[in-house]
Amino acid sequence: MSHWMPEPGTEREDGAEGAAAPPALPDAPSFEPAPPAPLGVPRTPTGHAGVDARLERLADADHLPADGHTAVYEDVHRGLRDELTALDTRPAPAPTPAHDHRS
């Protein structure tokens, strides 16, 4: 075991001769995951309520650890796909009224 020893003739901070405090060690790296933090990515409204609601759902990922992001992204993707599918679906033609052929 080695101890840090001052050079002979060095003084402590209080002016007395003798052992001074050892130099400060750098902080040890932490291997703990960082806590969730918002990315601050702005979401611009599109004007389509269904799409805007899905985009706002992305904010839920800001409060989850990284392993929880996938579920949010998949949900948003599924919702956006449904919104696009609904836009592509043409409304059924209105039924034509039956003609009453009475003479």
Side-chain angles (χ1 to χ4, degrees):
M1 177 186 246
S2 67
H3 292 315
W4 180 79
M5 296 297 293
E7 294 291 321
T10 58
E11 293 185 11
R12 297 189 318 201
E13 286 183 16
D14 60 6
E17 277 198 34
L25 297 176
D27 290 336
S30 172
F31 296 104
E32 295 296 317
L39 295 176
V41 176
R43 287 174 291 282
T44 305
T46 65
H48 188 281
V51 172
D52 291 341
R54 299 300 176 179
L55 294 177
E56 283 302 314
R57 168 91 166 95
L58 290 172
D60 293 344
D62 286 346
H63 310 290
L64 297 172
D67 61 354
H69 291 191
T70 303
V72 172
Y73 296 155
E74 287 175 350
D75 181 51
V76 170
H77 180 258
R78 190 171 29 257
L80 289 173
R81 190 178 56 229
D82 292 346
E83 290 294 327
L84 287 172
T85 300
L87 290 173
D88 286 341
T89 305
R90 295 177 188 223
T96 55
H99 295 287
D100 190 5
H101 296 293
R102 291 187 211 183
S103 339

